[in-house]
Amino acid sequence: MTDVASEDRRLYGSVDAAFAGQNVYLYCASEGLATVFRGAVERESLARAMQLSGGRFVAFAQTVGYPA
C-alpha cells in the first residue's frame, strides 16, 4: 500500500485487525474458549517489546484462554 497515505494505511490496518479479531471470536466460540478484544492497551510499550519498526504498529490486543 505504498500509494496510500499513512493515516489511511493505519485505518485500513486497524479494520483488518478487527476482522481478524472477529474470526478469533468465532473460533473461540466454536471451541469453548474465552476471548477479549482489547482496545485499551499500552501500544507504545507493546510495540517496543515486540520490536516493531518500519511503520508497523499495535492496533489492538486479544486475550484467549479457558473460561473461569
Side-chain angles (χ1 to χ4, degrees):
M1 293 180 37
T2 56
D3 59 337
V4 177
S6 63
E7 61 271 7
D8 288 339
R9 283 194 304 267
R10 198 165 188 78
L11 172 65
Y12 298 154
S14 296
V15 170
D16 287 344
F19 289 148
Q22 184 178 31
N23 286 333
V24 172
Y25 259 103
L26 293 171
Y27 175 79
C28 288
S30 73
E31 296 297 316
L33 295 169
T35 186
V36 177
F37 197 72
R38 300 179 185 275
V41 60
E42 294 186 25
R43 288 175 175 80
E44 293 80 20
S45 297
L46 185 54
R48 277 193 304 276
M50 296 173 67
Q51 300 178 346
L52 298 182
S53 62
R56 292 179 174 91
F57 64 97
V58 174
F60 303 99
Q62 191 163 14
T63 305
V64 176
Y66 295 101

